[in-house]
Amino acid sequence: MFNEFNLENFENSKIELETLLNSSRKKIDELLEIEEKSYENFVKPYQEIGESINEFITPIFHIDSVKNSEITQKVYEDCLPLISDYETEISQNDNIYTSLKDIQDKSYTSLNDIQKKVLENEIRDFKLSGCHLDNNKKSRLKELNLRLSELSHKFSQNLLNATNSYEMIIEDFEDVKEIPQSDLELAKFEEEGKTKYKFTLQMPSYIAYITYGTNREKREEIYKAYTTRAPENGKLIEEILKLKDEEVKILGFDNYASYSLATKMANSEEEVVSFLEELAKKGEHRALEEIEEIKEFAKKDGINDIKSYDLSYYSEKLKKAKYDLDEEYYRPFLEQNSVLNGFFNFLYEVFNIKFTQANAKTWDDKVKVFNISEDEKTIARIYIDLEARSDKRGGAWMNNWHSYYIDKNGKEQLPTAYIVCNFPPSTQNTVSLLRHSDVVTLFHEMGHALHHLLSNVSEPFVSGISGVAWDVVEFPSQFLEYFAYDKEVLKLFAKHYKTGEVLSDEAIDRIIAAKNFQSSLSMLRQVEFALFDFMLHQKLYTNEDEIQKLLDGIREKYSVIKPPKYNRFQNGFSHIFAGGYAAGYYSYKWAEVLSADAFYMFIDSGKVLNRELAVKYKNIVLKNGGSKNMDELFFEFANRKPSVDSLLKIDGIIS
């Protein structure tokens, strides 16, 4: 039913990949020899060839992120040029492009809407890959694609190496006295008969000190280490931008931002910038009030010149003072296994899907595998890897492995996906206790996963998240986040891991009341990142100084507190330099308009756990995957266009 995660022959992946790619080339040549090409005899098997390659390569690239070692790096680097060359070669193949065009022209009236969407997307992507260009330009694009893939991987590896190379050792308990006990236990170690505390740049550890560390000098020390990681990435960024600019100029675009929008919902560069500026304008006044509130609070400690490394510390104290909200109080109620099981109960309640643990191979003994069923029928599998490790890249993400589709023989192929997070690790002596923000992250990544796994689209290239415009792919993930603040939902899993006591209404009310704490500051920060990303790709910035000047200018206009000069945020901005978000980071806010508006429908219905509405959302938005444009699906679900005011209301920025 499902392919097992099996990397027993991992070190020979390059040889196996070469064999697979050569076989795929031969199969495509055979397809091209068909005289009377049709959707069924050409497009269908062509998609399946692409799926088979994705199924083979995904675990190889995935393992380098979650179990990083010299071996995984070498195998990744060996396989990267092979897959890059192959993808460039296929995407520039005039014969495939012409065949797809001919099928579209001759068979358009007999094709269904999903088949039309597959052809539209493929023909567009062939044009964007330069299949219409002469051989010299194609050859140069091939070189560019390979080098950009190498640079992206190097950027990530540098960041991981820098994260793992830093330790801050503290011997004085006074400097750690405010840190929650569960974090302190993970930091504590014995050396030379003394108790000491080690903090690293891995996210759970870094957050613990920057949020609760008493010693201001130590807070700056770890903040500076975090914001100056991987300085060598500065030169990589220069090269990445230069090569991307050359690439899109060859393809006939003015800049990379314009090229990026060719596959997105947003219609123009001006529309993206004005959207972000509108959000900033509407949130600026409240953000200034929020920062003044922190400054006034910090003055009680004699801090009259609050800095970036003070913000988390004093924000946490202010939140506790305003809402009586102590993160540490909640963590015993948010034990990882309890959260996961309760989360599954919630998903059954609203979406009628059931999670059953499966006995399957994984890459680490902390990884859990679940089969998903709907009306007693198994429909998907998910791998869940939640805990931080030193050999695991930071952050949280969903990675799709198999897609749902009906193959050329009429057989149903079931989807699989991975969810990866970096939550506090469990040990032999300690369980993994989550922050509420971790719970929100889990909901977010599951939103992505369900978008992929619940698809029932018969064509793999538009099934699940495949074919979904990048600036709306965050819609289902952000939508699910909102449920993590609902009282009924929280009561399904917020139970004390020792006593079983359910989190009280009063305690949950405090979480809900604090939800929009500093929401305007958060929004302006996201606007800052998004504008930097988008404007960085609107013209060619050739050196680190120019890039820094652009970022400084945006901060001058939109940041309510300026970070120190040494802050080199861009060198760790893996979303755009090692992920798929280049000239697309604005997508988080763009999609949030859809997600907030969709969630408001549940609020307006008077019942957040509204199964009828949730199943409608599942059937329209999730099950259709990338087979229709998201604006069409949203209108079909809501019977109206989305409004930005729903986002501003739900964030408490406007009433």
Side-chain angles (χ1 to χ4, degrees):
M1 186 181 291
F2 295 104
N3 287 0
E4 294 296 329
F5 189 92
N6 189 346
L7 291 176
E8 287 177 2
N9 202 28
F10 180 68
E11 291 182 41
N12 292 320
S13 295
K14 179 184 178 183
I15 297 168
E16 291 188 13
L17 180 59
E18 283 177 324
T19 302
L20 175 62
L21 296 180
N22 286 332
S23 171
S24 298
R25 289 182 177 99
K26 186 179 177 184
K27 287 177 183 176
I28 288 174
D29 286 341
E30 289 170 358
L31 291 178
L32 289 170
E33 288 173 9
I34 298 172
E35 288 191 20
E36 291 295 323
K37 296 181 182 68
S38 67
Y39 192 94
E40 288 302 320
N41 70 20
F42 185 85
V43 183
K44 197 84 175 174
Y46 171 71
Q47 290 183 84
E48 290 181 27
I49 292 167
E51 269 297 296
S52 68
I53 294 169
N54 181 65
E55 288 168 12
F56 179 83
I57 202 72
T58 296
I60 294 169
F61 287 4
H62 173 73
I63 202 72
D64 190 54
S65 298
V66 295
K67 211 71 179 168
N68 185 268
S69 67
E70 289 184 9
I71 293 172
T72 69
Q73 290 173 45
K74 183 180 186 307
V75 171
Y76 185 109
E77 288 162 7
D78 285 346
C79 290
L80 186 62
L82 297 179
I83 194 68
S84 179
D85 282 355
Y86 175 84
E87 288 177 346
T88 303
E89 172 191 324
I90 296 302
S91 66
Q92 293 179 355
N93 188 313
D94 284 328
N95 293 327
I96 300 174
Y97 172 69
T98 304
S99 299
L100 294 172
K101 279 285 292 174
D102 286 346
I103 292 167
Q104 184 186 52
D105 293 342
K106 291 175 184 174
S107 310
Y108 197 76
T109 54
S110 63
L111 297 172
N112 63 41
D113 289 343
I114 295 174
Q115 293 169 335
K116 288 175 183 176
K117 180 67 171 167
V118 170
L119 286 169
E120 286 167 12
N121 286 2
E122 283 302 292
I123 289 165
R124 175 202 66 196
D125 291 347
F126 267 92
K127 289 178 181 175
L128 292 174
S129 298
C131 70
H132 57 292
L133 300 173
D134 63 45
N135 288 334
N136 286 338
K137 288 179 178 177
K138 283 183 178 179
S139 177
R140 181 55 182 156
L141 282 175
K142 187 175 181 179
E143 293 170 2
L144 291 171
N145 286 332
L146 174 57
R147 182 58 182 156
L148 283 167
S149 296
E150 291 170 346
L151 291 169
S152 171
H153 183 243
K154 184 66 175 170
F155 187 100
S156 277
Q157 193 62 49
N158 288 345
L159 207 53
L160 180 63
N161 292 345
T163 298
N164 288 336
S165 68
Y166 175 85
E167 293 179 352
M168 182 173 75
I169 307 298
I170 292 177
E171 299 185 24
D172 190 345
F173 181 75
E174 281 296 304
D175 294 343
V176 298
K177 64 183 180 183
E178 297 176 73
I179 291 175
Q181 191 61 36
S182 51
D183 288 320
L184 210 53
E185 284 299 317
L186 292 171
K188 188 165 67 173
F189 69 101
E190 299 292 325
E191 188 176 67
E192 298 170 352
K194 291 183 66 176
T195 298
K196 299 179 183 180
Y197 305 90
K198 178 173 74 176
F199 295 91
T200 71
L201 300 183
Q202 287 186 30
M203 196 49 66
S205 184
Y206 174 74
I207 287 175
Y209 205 85
I210 204 70
T211 308
Y212 300 102
T214 311
N215 186 318
R216 194 186 190 201
E217 289 180 4
K218 293 292 184 184
R219 286 202 307 273
E220 181 176 18
E221 181 183 330
I222 200 166
Y223 170 87
K224 186 172 185 179
Y226 188 82
T227 58
T228 57
R229 287 177 302 164
E232 63 272 33
N233 278 353
K235 289 300 175 190
L236 296 189
I237 291 171
E238 289 181 358
E239 189 176 355
I240 288 169
L241 293 175
K242 181 182 175 185
L243 297 185
K244 281 185 173 178
D245 185 71
E246 182 184 352
E247 180 182 44
V248 299
K249 294 280 175 58
I250 291 172
L251 292 168
F253 290 88
D254 291 336
N255 55 49
Y256 192 87
S258 175
Y259 166 81
S260 171
L261 292 183
T263 55
K264 295 183 171 66
M265 254 182 73
N267 294 309
S268 67
E269 295 172 56
E270 293 73 23
E271 186 179 14
V272 172
V273 173
S274 63
F275 165 72
L276 294 170
E277 288 177 340
E278 179 190 2
L279 288 181
K281 186 177 180 181
K282 288 185 174 178
E284 183 181 22
H285 178 72
R286 180 71 192 118
L288 288 169
E289 291 178 345
E290 289 170 355
I291 200 69
E292 282 305 314
E293 197 174 20
I294 302 173
K295 287 178 178 178
E296 287 302 312
F297 193 85
K299 284 179 182 176
K300 296 175 185 177
D301 272 4
I303 305 295
N304 295 309
D305 59 336
I306 196 163
K307 302 293 186 185
S308 295
Y309 45 83
D310 297 316
L311 284 178
S312 293
Y313 180 74
Y314 285 105
S315 291
E316 186 62 28
K317 282 180 173 289
L318 177 60
K319 186 196 282 187
K320 189 174 180 181
K322 284 186 75 169
Y323 304 104
D324 191 24
L325 192 72
D326 180 359
E327 283 270 23
E328 185 62 9
Y329 171 79
Y330 290 91
R331 289 177 68 179
F333 291 89
L334 299 174
E335 189 273 326
Q336 182 194 128
N337 292 315
S338 174
V339 169
L340 204 54
N341 292 331
F343 186 25
F344 293 156
N345 290 337
F346 155 70
L347 293 171
Y348 176 73
E349 287 292 321
V350 292
F351 291 135
N352 188 34
I353 54 173
K354 187 177 180 182
F355 288 72
T356 305
Q357 191 153 3
N359 183 19
K361 284 187 178 181
T362 66
W363 51 91
D364 189 272
D365 59 10
K366 295 288 184 71
V367 179
K368 297 181 177 73
V369 185
F370 299 89
N371 290 341
I372 302 174
S373 59
E374 184 178 40
D375 298 327
E376 303 303 317
K377 179 189 175 186
T378 300
I379 60 170
R381 172 172 282 186
I382 187 166
Y383 295 73
I384 299 179
D385 183 357
L386 297 181
E387 299 184 13
R389 295 186 295 273
S390 61
D391 56 4
K392 186 180 185 182
R393 299 199 194 285
W397 65 91
M398 187 284 290
N399 203 354
N400 54 303
W401 185 11
H402 301 89
S403 296
Y404 174 89
Y405 66 98
I406 307 295
D407 69 19
K408 60 181 180 292
N409 299 315
K411 186 181 176 185
E412 193 176 43
Q413 301 295 317
L414 299 186
T416 59
Y418 319 126
I419 284 179
V420 182
C421 298
N422 273 274
F423 296 161
S426 56
T427 67
Q428 284 187 328
N429 303 317
T430 59
V431 294
S432 174
L433 301 179
L434 310 187
R435 297 175 174 84
H436 184 257
S437 57
D438 294 328
V439 175
V440 174
T441 297
L442 177 61
F443 275 57
H444 179 101
E445 299 308 332
M446 184 62 80
H448 280 308
L450 295 182
H451 194 193
H452 187 70
L453 298 174
L454 298 188
S455 175
N456 66 354
V457 177
S458 59
E459 306 294 331
F461 281 11
V462 290
S463 181
I465 63 167
S466 301
V468 177
W470 201 257
D471 51 1
V472 289
V473 79
E474 295 294 335
F475 165 27
S477 54
Q478 292 167 336
F479 167 74
L480 206 60
E481 278 186 37
Y482 290 118
F483 289 91
Y485 290 91
D486 180 72
K487 187 175 290 187
E488 280 186 85
V489 176
L490 282 168
K491 285 197 169 191
L492 291 172
F493 55 76
K495 299 171 184 177
H496 199 286
Y497 78 102
K498 287 183 177 177
T499 67
E501 175 194 357
V502 178
L503 193 62
S504 68
D505 285 359
E506 182 188 356
I508 293 174
D509 286 339
R510 292 199 296 269
I511 288 178
I512 295 168
K515 174 184 176 291
N516 290 329
F517 177 66
Q518 296 182 354
S519 59
S520 293
L521 274 175
S522 175
M523 185 172 77
L524 253 64
R525 184 169 167 80
Q526 288 298 303
V527 167
E528 175 191 320
F529 296 164
L531 277 172
F532 169 65
D533 162 49
F534 201 75
M535 295 173 78
L536 185 66
H537 290 96
Q538 283 189 295
K539 71 173 192 176
L540 179 58
Y541 290 84
T542 57
N543 60 62
E544 289 185 74
D545 290 341
E546 284 184 3
I547 294 164
Q548 189 63 47
K549 191 175 178 182
L550 170 67
L551 181 55
D552 290 344
I554 291 168
R555 283 172 170 168
E556 194 62 39
K557 193 170 182 180
Y558 297 104
S559 296
V560 291
I561 186 164
K562 308 299 179 290
K565 292 286 186 185
Y566 57 71
N567 181 306
R568 289 294 181 269
F569 155 77
Q570 61 271 33
N571 292 343
F573 200 179
S574 54
H575 273 78
I576 70 169
F577 297 119
Y581 282 88
Y585 195 81
Y586 77 89
S587 304
Y588 281 98
K589 301 312 290 184
W590 188 273
E592 214 173 331
V593 172
L594 302 178
S595 56
D597 217 11
F599 188 71
Y600 244 99
M601 293 175 65
F602 287 76
I603 295 172
D604 290 341
S605 78
K607 186 180 178 184
V608 170
L609 286 181
N610 186 328
R611 178 180 265 209
E612 183 181 354
L613 194 55
V615 168
K616 182 184 179 185
Y617 167 83
K618 177 182 73 169
N619 290 338
I620 292 173
V621 176
L622 300 182
K623 289 205 170 188
N624 277 299
S627 66
K628 291 184 180 179
N629 290 334
M630 191 62 82
D631 53 351
E632 293 177 55
L633 294 176
F634 184 90
F635 194 88
E636 189 179 337
F637 171 63
N639 296 315
R640 56 176 168 74
K641 292 183 177 181
S643 164
V644 71
D645 284 352
S646 292
L647 171 60
L648 299 173
K649 282 179 189 174
I650 219 164
D651 283 351
I653 294 168
I654 64 172
S655 56

